Amino acid sequence: MLDHLKANNRAWAARKTAADAGFFRRLVGQQAPQYLWIGCSDSRVPANEIVDLDPGELFVHRNVANLAPPQDANYLSVLQFAVDVLKVRHILVVGHYGCGGVRAAVDGHRRGLVDHWLHPIREVYHAHRHELQAIADDDARHNRLCELNVMRQVRNVAADVFVQDAWARSQELMVHGWVYSLQTGLVKDLEVSVSGPEL
Ligand code: CO
């Protein structure tokens, strides 16, 4: 079963070792990434690949529509471990244009559990409904909502007690908001970076 994936894996491990004999041995020794990536589960947005980082360099949390909900135990566990134990320097909230999760949040169709998961995006839509409704083009409006969602999640992360406590003890930590384009492969920095407790 899945023999092609197992073959891919063997070839990949061999390539890594050929290029750097100590690669895996070093990683076993310690995990010391400088970055936490909070991104969408979308298969077209592979975290490490986009920023061309190796295993060990990026701590990753992905979910549908790159949310940072302050009651989600999975996200909070990742965030606390990244901030308190790994002491990452940067947290990247990375959305992407054309996000199906963001679209599903506001298209009016009922899908079940995911409607609850996506509820925060409907709140973002409501908060910015005047700006969004003024955008005539469907894709442009959707893409703007993708950006606004990232900005909102950046604020969630920055307002979290783990992050606030890190800043209170003068730990170096920044939170950033990016959006990735499926069409160009490029990320856009939304320039909403936060580096301290003023919100
Ligand atoms: Co998505």
Side-chain angles (χ1 to χ4, degrees), residues 40-42 44-45 63-66 96 98-102:
C40 185
S41 298
D42 194 304
R44 299 165 297 179
V45 193
N63 58 41
V64 175
N66 44 271
H96 66 103
C99 182
V102 170

Side-chain angles (χ1 to χ4, degrees):
M1 292 278 277
L2 302 178
D3 285 339
H4 63 299
L5 296 185
K6 294 169 189 165
N8 283 356
N9 166 249
R10 284 191 297 272
W12 172 79
R15 277 200 310 277
K16 283 288 180 196
T17 310
D20 175 358
F23 182 73
F24 291 107
R25 217 173 318 126
R26 275 201 314 281
L27 286 179
V28 171
Q30 70 160 347
Q31 166 173 239
Q34 292 198 26
Y35 314 97
L36 165 62
W37 174 286
I38 299 172
C40 185
S41 298
D42 194 304
S43 64
R44 299 165 297 179
V45 193
N48 281 66
E49 255 185 275
I50 286 172
V51 285
D52 200 17
L53 288 180
D54 264 327
E57 297 186 301
L58 193 63
F59 199 58
V60 174
H61 180 70
R62 290 169 69 180
N63 58 41
V64 175
N66 44 271
L67 297 182
Q71 292 84 22
D72 180 51
N74 184 0
Y75 148 70
L76 290 173
S77 303
V78 169
L79 180 66
Q80 183 178 26
F81 189 74
V83 170
D84 289 357
V85 180
L86 296 175
K87 296 194 163 44
V88 298
R89 294 294 182 89
H90 301 275
I91 300 173
L92 306 154
V93 178
V94 187
H96 66 103
Y97 296 120
C99 182
V102 170
R103 199 181 291 282
V106 293
D107 70 1
H109 296 291
R110 285 283 161 268
R111 291 177 178 79
L113 180 60
V114 76
D115 293 324
H116 294 275
W117 174 254
L118 296 173
H119 181 75
I121 298 174
R122 284 195 291 282
E123 291 185 324
V124 171
Y125 186 95
H126 185 74
H128 298 273
R129 63 190 180 284
H130 299 302
E131 176 192 344
L132 289 164
Q133 284 161 6
I135 303 173
D137 181 69
D138 258 3
D139 288 338
R141 188 169 56 247
H142 168 71
N143 286 341
R144 181 59 181 157
L145 182 56
C146 291
E147 292 180 349
L148 292 169
N149 178 44
V150 167
M151 293 178 199
R152 177 66 225 216
Q153 305 314 316
V154 166
R155 278 172 43 212
N156 280 1
V157 174
D160 192 89
V161 289
F162 302 133
V163 173
Q164 292 283 318
D165 286 353
W167 282 329
R169 59 179 182 258
S170 300
Q171 188 174 322
E172 214 175 295
L173 179 62
M174 286 186 83
V175 187
H176 312 270
W178 291 2
V179 186
Y180 174 75
S181 166
L182 299 172
Q183 275 153 6
T184 63
L186 298 173
V187 293
K188 173 182 172 185
D189 186 342
L190 294 175
E191 293 177 5
V192 292
S193 298
V194 188
S195 58
E198 79 290 340
L199 283 172

